[in-house]
Each structure stands twice: as C-alpha cells, then as structure tokens.
Amino acid sequence: MRAHRSLASVATLLLVRCGGTPALVDAVPLDAAPPIEDTSLEDAATTDATPEDAATVDAATVDAAQPPEDAPSRLDSGMADDGPASVDLGPSLDRPASADLGPSLDRPDVPAARDVEAARDVPPTPVCRTRVTYGSAWLRPAGHPNDYDDVDGQITWDGACAADGGNSVATLSNGWRPYFSGRSGCIMAFDYSAGCALANARCATRVGYGPSWLAPANHPNRYDDVAGALTWDGACTNTAESSAALSNGWVPHFRGAGACSMGFRYTQCGGLYENPVVGSDCPDPGVTRDGNTYVMVCTGGGYRIRTSQDLVHWTTRGLIFPDGQRPGWATGDFWAPEIHRVGNRWVAYFSARHRDGSLAVGAATANNALGPYTDLGRPLVQVARPGVIDAHFFQASNGARYLLWKYDGNAVGARTPIYIQRLNADGTSLTGSRVELITNDRSWEGALVEGPWMIERAGTFYLFYSANGYATSRYAVGVARASAPTGPFTKRAEPILVTGGAWAGPGHGAIVQGPSGDWVHVYHAWRAGRVGTDPGRLVLVDRIDFLDGWPRMISAPLSRSQPMP
C-alpha cells in the first residue's frame, strides 16, 4: 500500500486541479501600459542626455502622452476572476492512498509547480515608445533641455510642413505642433522601441512638398517615400520657377521665385546630427575602424587620436607621438596621418620634414590602434626635394596591400602626380615599382592634386582626391575610377564636393562606411568667410550617394540636420 500524501502535497495538487496552468498576460493595448525602461534609442541622444532629461516635457506634453484613466492593468492575477468562492476538496485526507485523488503529481502529463512558477517569470510584451528628435531649426520651448521627446505609443508625422509667418509648423499624430524657424525648417526623426510595429523597419525618408510644388503628372500624393537617408542643403533657385537639388539627384520644382518648401521625416534612422562633428582645428582627418569603434587622427603636433562609436561624438584618447617620442629623422611639418590595421598590427602612416629638408612619408607600428607607436627609425618613402606627402594605405578585396602618396611638385612649380606601389605583408616596406595614377590636368584642380583615398565597391576602384590650394575657397574634392587599383583611372569631369552654404574649401578626408552601412566622407572645411583664420579647419561628415556609377555629394557640405551616419 502506498503512503498517504502529505498536506503540502495535496495543497499543490489542488493548485493544479483547480486552477490549471495560470494565464500569463492578458492582451492589453500598448498605449495603456505604463512605460518601462528602454535603452534601444539612447544612442540617438546627445552625450549629455540622461533618462531624466528624456522624460522632460511641458505640462501639455505630459497630459498628451498619458494613458486613459480607465486603461486595464498591465498584468492580471493569473487566476480566473469568476471562479467559485469555495472548492470541493473531495474525499477525506485520511483515506488510503488507493483512493481516487485524480492524476498523480509525478505523471508527465501534469505540469509541476516549478513549471507554473517559470511561466510567471516570462517577461511582459515590450512597450512601444517613440523618440521624436527635432532638427536644429526647432524652436525649443522654454525649460526643454533636450532636442528630443520620448513618448508612449507609436507617434508619426505625415511630412507636411505648413508656413506660419516666417516660421513653419508640423502636426504630429498625437496632436503636438512643433515649430521651426524658416519656411522649410521641419526636420524630424522618429525612432521606435521594440514594442512598436515599425521597430524592425529600415531607415527611410519621407519628403513632404509645400503648396507651391509643381507635382509631376500622375503623382497623386504631396510627398515621396524613399529608402535610406535623403537630404537637401536648403538652397533654392531664385527664378520664376524655383527648384531644389536633393541628394539622390531629384530636382523638385516650385511655382514662384524662392518658393522651395519641403519637410523631411526620417523613420528608424537612429536620430539626427549637424555639422561640424569636431568644432576645433583638425585638418586632413584620417579615419579607420576598429570593430565598432572609429579612430581618427588629424594633422598637427604629435597627431591627436580620437575615437567614436558613431562618427559624430568624438573623444580624445592620446597621441601617436607623445612629447619626446617623435621620430628622430623628422624635424617638423607633421601632416596628414592615417592609422590602419595591417595584418595583426596597426600602422600609422604620416608625412614629415626630413633633416635634409625634403618631405618624406614615415610609418610607426603598434599592437593597438591607440598605441603606443614605435617609429621605423627611417622614412618609408623618400625622394629628392621637394619630397612626398599624403600617404594612404589601401587593401584590395583580394588581400593585396598598397601605399599611395603625392609628389609635392607644387612647391617647385611642377606637377603633382599621385603614385601607388605594393606593400609587403606587414605594411612597412615597398615592393615592386610605383605607378602613376593621376596628376593635376583639369582647370579646376589648379596647381595640385593631393590627399588620395581609395575604396573598392562592386568591383570598381574609386580614387578620391583633393585639388587646388587648401587655404582657399577653391579647394575641392574630385574622384576617378578604374577596374584595378593600379588603373588606368578615368576622372569625373567636375568635382563632387565644393564650397557652399556655411562652408568653404572642403576636402582632404577619409571615406568609410558608417554604422548605418552608408558610405560617408569625413573631411575638413573652413567656415565660410573665415578661410585661413580661426577656428581653423573643422571636421564634417556627409553621405556619399552613388548615381550612374559615380560617387556624388549633391547636398554637401551640409549644415542642416540629417540622419546619423
């Protein structure tokens, strides 16, 4: 005969027999749920943002975002509300074990108490929250420290930007009406947390056209939706029929002079930023990627090293050559550095003045991108005066490694060819013979070409370069392309990046893929009207679009807010 069950065992049995497996979570409208902590959008905020800041809105904003008072609770008790007040316990507890007490607790078809408890630990459905980030033209309300609001539910905007005197206003789906300076100031980003229907959407742009837009035939909507990031520099032709050039090559037309009016909505693009990303002198920025971290170095001193996770917010981390550790063969003119991973090491390539008076290319190695670096003790590339500058490392998809540089012929009134030559496996010595890629032979290039940077995309090699005098507004960026890294290269007739808007003399930068996967150009430029003076050459980041097989930067240099790189 089996032993009698204990009182505790029977109590557990009763839980299973009477209640079954408790319900986990009743379906509740997402906007009725109280907010939970969500960090999926924090990277879109500026570095001084805090969770407390994110919740700061004016009284009207708070009221608009609250769930209705009669909203159901987030979780129920897990038991039926209409069950009987008492339970028939059945046979007396002192009956023999052979009595029919129902299913045995140790049978596999009956859930154990631990399974019931595990079910209660299942996390609730994520709550939907929207981060609305406002562009730089936003007229910030008093007492609102942030450039964003975090709101319960999925909030959006139809892209319409209405004029209101000299300003513009947008109406959001929750009734909010943010104002912006200027007639086309409406720029906002909407980023959604995991509980939202659009959480897994890819970055997209809606451009909403103003009332003067001349819609093409068979275009019923007053907007266009575009995959990825679409931008506009704000420029509008002042003719009887005005037009604007968008970054993807579109040219919308508007009735009347200076009548271009558009709003830009960015969905799930990670927030917004504005140029410059480094507001102090940082010429010739060279950028590389180490995992999820970008590493940047610029001309000057011991070559300051900066790092960033997003190409926008930069932190100083040290120097390639701290005081007292500069190469013994060099006397000054430390220009145009780059750091690259070559095999299992990092190599910093740079230009400097040799003791004999010529300019030369040097190299220093380290086991970490942040150093410490040890110079080779000799130049890597050196020729007779005037010498060579602007070294660039490139590795092709087949593993072949190359070094590019410029002959500094403009210093003696000669042409300035850009060369390429194979490197050995560790990137610290040359092999084979050099090959000339391009030289200054276009009128817009003036006395020189310099600052080469090569990328490989879809089987084509693109050589970006800068031309003309760096301390003038004529400095600009051109591009050439070829089917092999050694050429022959064909130049695009006109430069792809020139002086415009708030910026002058853009150029000499790095081409990398941002966290979004888009190709971007990290380059320097002067503030318009301040070429050659303080604050110097600042760092800008703008996207590159590929149109008809050529890189284009139609909206750049861009001062307006745009999606994160």
Side-chain angles (χ1 to χ4, degrees), residues 161-175:
C161 186
D164 189 338
N167 298 322
S168 50
V169 60
T171 301
L172 308 191
S173 61
N174 64 350

Side-chain angles (χ1 to χ4, degrees), residues 238-504:
N238 193 22
T239 58
E241 184 179 293
S242 50
S243 63
L246 306 188
S247 60
N248 64 351
W250 291 359
V251 183
H253 289 255
F254 300 82
R255 184 180 298 104
C260 308
S261 176
M262 289 177 281
F264 287 80
R265 182 191 77 187
Y266 300 108
T267 300
Q268 214 65 348
C269 297
L272 301 172
Y273 78 100
E274 297 84 37
N275 281 317
V277 299
V278 175
S280 57
D281 192 43
C282 191
D284 312 327
V287 180
T288 192
R289 191 168 186 171
D290 181 13
N292 293 324
T293 300
Y294 294 89
V295 183
M296 178 171 68
V297 284
C298 294
T299 282
Y303 300 134
R304 180 182 298 181
I305 302 173
R306 293 175 170 91
T307 61
S308 173
Q309 301 297 307
D310 57 15
L311 292 173
V312 173
H313 306 97
W314 293 92
T315 302
T316 297
R317 301 296 298 274
L319 298 169
I320 292 179
F321 297 128
D323 290 344
Q325 298 182 31
R326 296 185 183 181
W329 58 266
T331 61
D333 293 336
F334 287 88
W335 299 339
E338 294 180 11
I339 293 174
H340 295 277
R341 182 190 291 276
V342 184
N344 295 324
R345 294 192 302 175
W346 293 86
V347 182
Y349 298 97
F350 60 94
S351 307
R353 182 78 59 181
H354 193 272
R355 290 192 305 267
D356 67 6
S358 67
L359 289 163
V361 168
T365 61
N367 292 323
N368 186 289
L370 303 183
Y373 283 88
T374 301
D375 178 65
L376 295 182
R378 54 175 174 77
L380 176 58
V381 185
Q382 185 180 19
V383 300
R385 296 179 67 176
V388 294
I389 60 172
D390 294 355
H392 168 61
F393 170 85
F394 171 70
Q395 181 166 315
S397 59
N398 65 3
R401 294 163 179 160
Y402 300 88
L403 190 73
L404 292 78
W405 68 89
K406 165 211 172 181
Y407 174 68
D408 200 41
N410 55 290
V412 293
R415 67 190 190 101
T416 58
I418 290 176
Y419 294 103
I420 189 171
Q421 190 169 343
R422 286 288 297 269
L423 282 164
N424 69 348
D426 67 7
T428 60
S429 63
L430 298 171
T431 182
S433 302
R434 72 184 189 187
V435 176
E436 181 177 323
L437 298 181
I438 62 170
T439 191
N440 52 312
D441 54 12
R442 300 294 176 95
S443 59
W444 70 266
E445 295 168 346
L448 60 94
V449 291
E450 63 182 14
W453 192 285
M454 187 179 290
I455 67 169
E456 181 181 356
R457 178 181 180 271
T460 298
F461 297 85
Y462 295 94
L463 175 62
F464 295 79
Y465 64 94
S466 298
N468 223 303
Y470 80 91
T472 73
S473 60
R474 298 184 300 277
Y475 201 58
V477 174
V479 67
R481 66 186 182 186
S483 58
T486 54
F489 276 85
T490 300
K491 290 182 179 178
R492 188 177 185 275
E494 300 298 328
I496 64 169
L497 181 63
V498 299
T499 292
W503 304 101

Side-chain angles (χ1 to χ4, degrees), residues 86-157:
S86 61
V87 178
D88 179 12
L89 297 180
S92 170
L93 293 179
D94 60 0
R95 286 205 176 176
S98 59
D100 181 15
L101 291 180
S104 171
L105 291 179
D106 58 0
R107 281 169 49 179
D109 57 342
V110 179
R114 63 179 177 273
D115 297 325
V116 176
E117 293 302 322
R120 289 197 182 108
D121 292 336
V122 174
T125 301
V127 173
C128 173
R129 304 197 79 198
T130 303
R131 169 160 289 183
V132 184
T133 306
Y134 307 101
S136 57
W138 179 48
L139 298 174
R140 187 192 307 266
H144 196 302
N146 301 316
D147 61 357
Y148 62 88
D149 278 311
D150 288 332
V151 190
D152 289 343
Q154 185 165 290
I155 307 303
T156 189
W157 165 49

Side-chain angles (χ1 to χ4, degrees), residues 515-557:
S516 68
D518 292 346
W519 286 101
V520 298
H521 194 176
V522 184
Y523 61 97
H524 74 234
W526 307 90
R527 291 197 180 276
R530 302 193 63 83
V531 175
T533 64
D534 289 337
R537 287 169 281 178
L538 313 184
V539 178
L540 283 63
V541 178
D542 283 309
R543 278 177 170 78
I544 298 171
D545 291 283
F546 286 83
L547 306 174
D548 300 323
W550 286 103
R552 302 292 301 278
M553 299 183 68
I554 296 172
S555 293

